[in-house]
Amino acid sequence: MSANRASESLATIICALLGSSCCAIQLMLNAMSLGCAGFSALDPFAPVFASLSFTFLFAAFVRNGLKANRRISVTAFASLLLLLLPQLVRLHSRNKLWPSRVPTLGFEKLAPACISSFEWTIHGLKCLGCAARLKSHLEGVQGIASADVDFTQSAVTVHVPGEETVESWESLVLDAVGSLDFTYSMEFMRQTLNCK
């Protein structure tokens, strides 16, 4: 009986992992600098895997009543975390999860007078994990205050302090993107200038 419940917990977590495979597995591969594995092919099946995961959890709660034991609680927490991971990565890539590194609101004395933003369309971005990796890579480039990478819109936006022109930043950004993955290609879309 115990082995059956352990396999049910494992099946629940595997379904949740497959439901977020584009993120969870890809983020692990990115951490090991292995690049993209193309798990975005599983994205259309994410709702199916999430449904299976919730079905297994529901069955475990029904079988044990309202008193959840430690195994069920850990399984539920791990599954929910895995299923929420794509949304958290998406928010991070769009600079919505953590504030930008450019000081604003309340720190006006420290903030530059103007922020120049440059937006490109990107081709070859395969998943949310790749978008998060690109965002972190661009934010590591000296002079770039922050970057937004929108996987669904295939857009990259780079924010730099001061009144800058795209000519002074385009080759630096394209080189940084190319050094991360040579299959990416970018086309410049627009420049905006935000001044106090």
Side-chain angles (χ1 to χ4, degrees):
M1 189 67 119
S2 169
N4 187 26
R5 290 184 180 168
S7 63
E8 185 178 71
S9 293
L10 184 62
T12 303
I13 291 175
I14 288 173
C15 286
L17 182 63
L18 289 172
S20 69
S21 63
C22 146
C23 291
I25 296 170
Q26 188 58 51
L27 289 173
M28 287 187 279
L29 291 173
N30 288 348
M32 295 183 284
S33 299
L34 295 177
C36 186
F39 285 106
S40 60
L42 294 175
D43 282 352
F45 304 107
V48 173
F49 291 125
S51 298
L52 285 171
S53 187
F54 283 122
T55 301
F56 286 131
L57 278 177
F58 180 73
F61 277 113
V62 166
R63 189 172 28 264
N64 291 300
L66 291 178
K67 59 177 179 126
N69 62 27
R70 184 179 301 185
R71 180 189 50 81
I72 295 173
S73 299
V74 168
T75 301
F77 177 76
S79 297
L80 291 174
L81 184 64
L82 284 169
L83 291 170
L84 287 174
L85 190 59
Q87 282 66 28
L88 294 173
V89 171
R90 187 175 288 118
L91 289 172
H92 170 68
S93 296
R94 292 182 185 164
N95 251 355
K96 305 258 189 257
L97 195 55
W98 291 282
S100 170
R101 290 188 289 165
V102 177
T104 57
L105 298 176
F107 299 103
E108 286 81 6
K109 293 178 184 174
L110 301 174
C114 295
I115 301 289
S116 298
S117 300
F118 309 106
E119 186 175 346
W120 287 269
T121 300
I122 186 165
H123 305 285
L125 201 58
K126 296 176 186 89
C127 67
L128 288 170
C130 295
R133 183 172 138 225
L134 179 58
K135 173 187 169 48
S136 296
H137 184 70
L138 286 171
E139 288 182 341
V141 174
Q142 186 173 359
I144 294 179
S146 66
D148 303 323
V149 181
D150 189 335
F151 173 68
T152 56
Q153 299 293 319
S154 297
V156 173
T157 306
V158 172
H159 309 283
V160 298
E163 294 183 44
E164 299 284 340
T165 63
V166 70
E167 290 81 16
S168 60
W169 283 93
E170 187 165 31
S171 65
L172 183 67
V173 171
L174 293 177
D175 288 346
V177 170
S179 73
L180 185 64
D181 191 330
F182 68 91
T183 62
Y184 296 156
S185 63
M186 294 175 51
E187 299 168 17
F188 181 70
M189 288 177 37
R190 69 180 139 273
Q191 175 180 353
T192 57
L193 183 65
N194 298 317
C195 297
K196 298 187 220 180

